[in-house]
């Protein structure tokens, strides 16, 4: 399973992907992200999570034709 976006896919205005990754790690090691989450946390919530999840279907999941429903014997008898 893959989550998030690759560092290389960030816009150029953020700088080189390696620099962005190192900056993110330094902020994480200093506890900056925990402080941000703590500041954003609502008083009645215990956890606040930001999530960007990509879920892909199996390669064979797309393309199968949907089955058409055949009328039941009861429906056919009632129509005739």
């Amino acid at each position: 399973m893959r989550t998030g976006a690759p560092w290389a896919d960030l816009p150029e205005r953020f700088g080189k992907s390696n620099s962005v990754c190192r900056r993110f790690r330094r902020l994480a090691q200093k506890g900056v992200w925990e402080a941000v989450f703590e500041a954003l946390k609502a008083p009645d919530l215990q956890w606040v999570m930001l999530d960007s999840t990509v879920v892909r279907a199996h390669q064979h999941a797309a393309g199968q034709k949907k089955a058409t429903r055949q009328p039941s014997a009861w429906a056919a008898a009632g129509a005739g």
Side-chain angles (χ1 to χ4, degrees):
M1 180 181 288
R2 191 173 148 194
T3 61
W7 294 111
D9 287 350
L10 289 173
E12 290 182 19
R13 66 178 179 262
F14 290 117
K16 295 181 180 180
S17 59
N18 191 35
S19 299
V20 176
C21 180
R22 284 185 297 170
R23 188 179 318 131
F24 180 84
R25 280 194 72 189
R26 279 197 306 266
L27 292 172
Q29 290 171 346
K30 290 181 179 180
V32 171
W33 298 122
E34 285 83 7
V36 168
F37 290 138
E38 199 60 39
L40 294 175
K41 186 169 68 170
D44 59 328
L45 299 176
Q46 290 184 348
W47 293 93
V48 174
M49 296 183 142
L50 301 178
D51 184 27
S52 173
T53 305
V54 177
V55 178
R56 296 183 182 192
H58 188 270
Q59 62 183 352
H60 299 297
Q64 182 174 352
K65 296 187 187 261
K66 297 196 185 257
T68 56
R69 295 185 68 181
Q70 299 294 328
S72 67
W74 290 103

